[in-house]
């Protein structure tokens, strides 16, 4: 009986603003993700960072910084085989606590597990207490946690305690972080240094750390033989004003039981204010080189 399985992780998925507008006018809520859906559903477990509440009657707009996405975006998430959505980020509460609860309940009702910020369990409303989610695959209990450090000082003791308290319940732990300064290739504090927090997470029991928020691709660091991705860039978003914000990577982590055996990096691009596609040729090579150089700096 094989114990081989794959975890797929994405960058920021933001079905808001112009992305929501484009899907609405096209009347196609799988449009944004269709070009990479096969890649995402290649995982036994697919984890996304969902950086926008999903609510009924999300107003149409192409501007502003208060985000929401239409609940019809579930068509994209279902098409891509999304299993877990991290909801700990700086836009989680853009529609208030009610919007967070609505998003959680809606995703859960549609078979998508959530982690990170929550309104519904013992961690309700707490920054350093994550909703804890466990998926079992090939006999391996895989746990998921999520935290946002954006604009706040990390309570290191509380964070370490929350991560380590989950360790006994799982065979392998994946921790998502929303962290660091935006639009930079090297992890920088905002206000806390992502490298320090990433190392703390591994020391507390994390086996895989997935970071996001910078909207640019950042590098991969191995710390205590555990992979820390500092930022996977944008996966779905409308930031068409620079090449850096129109590119990202999808990470496929291959395991045999709890042992990480390989990591495959696939560059993706974004066009038309929200349509993701897999890169080819020189474009693909260029982004792989960016990722390799960013990793080298770590």
């Amino acid at each position: 009986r094989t114990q081989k399985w794959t975890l797929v992780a994405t960058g920021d998925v933001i079905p808001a603003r112009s992305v929501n507008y484009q899907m609405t006018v096209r009347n196609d809520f799988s449009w944004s993700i269709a070009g990479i859906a096969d890649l995402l559903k290649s995982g036994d477990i697919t984890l996304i960072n969902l950086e926008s509440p999903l609510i009924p009657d999300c107003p149409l707009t192409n501007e502003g910084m208060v985000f929401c996405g239409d609940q019809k975006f579930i068509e994209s998430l279902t098409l891509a085989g999304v299993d877990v959505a991290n909801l700990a980020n700086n836009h989680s509460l853009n529609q208030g606590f009610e919007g967070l609860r609505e998003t959680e309940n809606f995703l859960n009702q549609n078979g998508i597990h959530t982690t990170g910020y929550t309104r519904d369990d013992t961690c309700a409303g707490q920054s350093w207490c994550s909703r804890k989610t466990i998926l079992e695959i090939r006999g391996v209990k895989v746990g998921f946690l999520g935290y946002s450090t954006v604009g706040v000082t990390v309570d290191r003791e509380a964070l370490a305690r929350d991560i380590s308290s989950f360790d006994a319940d799982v065979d392998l732990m994946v921790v998502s972080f929303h962290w660091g300064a935006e639009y930079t290739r090297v992890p920088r504090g905002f206000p806390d240094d992502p490298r320090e927090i990433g190392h703390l997470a591994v020391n507390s029991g994390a086996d895989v750390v997935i970071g996001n928020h910078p909207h640019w691709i950042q590098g991969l660091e191995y710390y205590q033989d555990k992979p820390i991705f500092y930022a996977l860039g944008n996966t779905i978003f409308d930031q068409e004003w620079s090449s850096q914000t129109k590119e990202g990577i999808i990470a496929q982590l291959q395991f045999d039981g709890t042992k990480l055996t390989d990591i495959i990096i696939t560059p993706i691009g974004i066009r038309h204010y929200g349509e993701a596609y897999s890169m080819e040729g020189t474009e693909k090579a260029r982004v792989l080189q960016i990722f390799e150089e960013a990793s080298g700096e770590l």
Side-chain angles (χ1 to χ4, degrees), residues 128-129 132 145 147 154-167 173 175 177 197 199-206:
W128 312 116
C129 183
K132 293 162 183 69
L145 301 173
Y147 308 92
V154 177
D155 183 334
R156 286 162 174 72
E157 282 184 24
L159 176 65
R161 189 166 56 242
D162 199 49
I163 295 172
S164 58
S165 72
F166 195 37
D167 207 18
M173 198 191 314
V175 181
F177 279 103
I197 301 303
H199 294 177
L200 174 67
V202 171
N203 291 337
S204 304

Side-chain angles (χ1 to χ4, degrees), residues 6-295:
T6 302
L7 169 70
V8 170
T10 76
D12 290 313
V13 174
I14 310 181
R17 209 163 56 192
S18 297
V19 183
N20 186 48
Y21 180 86
Q22 291 290 333
M23 290 188 292
T24 302
V25 297
R26 294 166 196 272
N27 194 26
D28 181 359
F29 283 84
S30 62
W31 166 82
S32 65
I33 222 164
I36 60 168
D38 287 347
L39 171 63
L40 297 188
K41 68 183 172 198
S42 69
D44 295 285
I45 300 176
T46 298
L47 165 70
I48 67 165
N49 180 64
L50 182 62
E51 201 176 346
S52 172
L54 299 179
I55 61 170
D57 307 316
C58 171
L60 280 192
T61 181
N62 282 305
E63 58 188 25
M65 293 298 291
V66 177
F67 292 165
C68 65
D70 194 299
Q71 290 189 337
K72 290 176 188 161
F73 187 67
I74 197 70
E75 292 176 28
S76 275
L77 301 181
T78 304
L79 181 68
V82 172
D83 299 291
V84 185
N86 170 47
L87 301 181
N89 55 67
N90 57 310
H91 291 284
S92 306
L93 296 177
N94 274 187
Q95 302 298 320
F97 283 115
E98 192 47 47
L100 174 61
R101 174 176 276 133
E102 237 169 347
T103 303
E104 270 192 297
N105 292 345
F106 178 69
L107 291 170
N108 297 163
Q109 286 160 11
N110 283 277
I112 296 174
H113 302 266
T114 53
T115 189
Y117 292 160
T118 181
R119 290 303 294 155
D120 289 334
D121 65 11
T122 54
C123 286
Q126 298 177 62
S127 295
W128 312 116
C129 183
S130 169
R131 181 168 181 166
K132 293 162 183 69
T133 291
I134 301 174
L135 274 67
E136 189 163 332
I137 185 78
R138 314 264 192 279
V140 179
K141 286 183 182 173
V142 186
F144 294 87
L145 301 173
Y147 308 92
S148 176
T149 77
V150 174
V152 293
T153 301
V154 177
D155 183 334
R156 286 162 174 72
E157 282 184 24
L159 176 65
R161 189 166 56 242
D162 199 49
I163 295 172
S164 58
S165 72
F166 195 37
D167 207 18
D169 299 333
V170 299
D171 302 314
L172 187 128
M173 198 191 314
V174 181
V175 181
S176 294
F177 279 103
H178 215 67
W179 59 13
E182 293 178 305
Y183 317 123
T184 171
R185 202 62 85 195
V186 180
R188 291 210 180 92
F190 182 53
D192 283 295
D193 180 7
R195 294 190 72 180
E196 189 195 327
I197 301 303
H199 294 177
L200 174 67
V202 171
N203 291 337
S204 304
D207 297 293
V208 176
V209 175
I210 305 289
N212 278 303
H213 175 65
H215 301 298
W216 283 22
I217 296 164
Q218 293 182 350
L220 164 64
E221 176 185 25
Y222 285 95
Y223 173 74
Q224 313 277 28
D225 291 331
K226 310 294 187 187
I228 301 174
F229 290 90
Y230 284 99
L232 299 175
N234 282 330
T235 297
I236 297 200
F237 202 20
D238 62 4
Q239 293 180 318
E240 301 260 323
W241 38 265
S242 73
S243 62
Q244 294 96 327
T245 52
K246 290 194 291 181
E247 58 201 23
I249 53 174
I250 303 298
Q252 293 168 286
L253 291 83
Q254 298 181 341
F255 292 89
D256 192 338
T258 59
K259 180 177 165 40
L260 180 63
T261 56
D262 200 9
I263 295 176
I264 298 168
I265 301 298
T266 304
I268 63 158
I270 303 171
R271 58 195 169 203
H272 310 313
Y273 296 94
E275 182 185 28
Y277 66 94
S278 289
M279 289 180 171
E280 299 292 343
T282 55
E283 192 180 32
K284 177 179 181 178
R286 179 182 63 79
V287 169
L288 281 173
Q289 186 177 357
I290 287 170
F291 176 67
E292 282 171 21
E293 287 175 0
S295 299

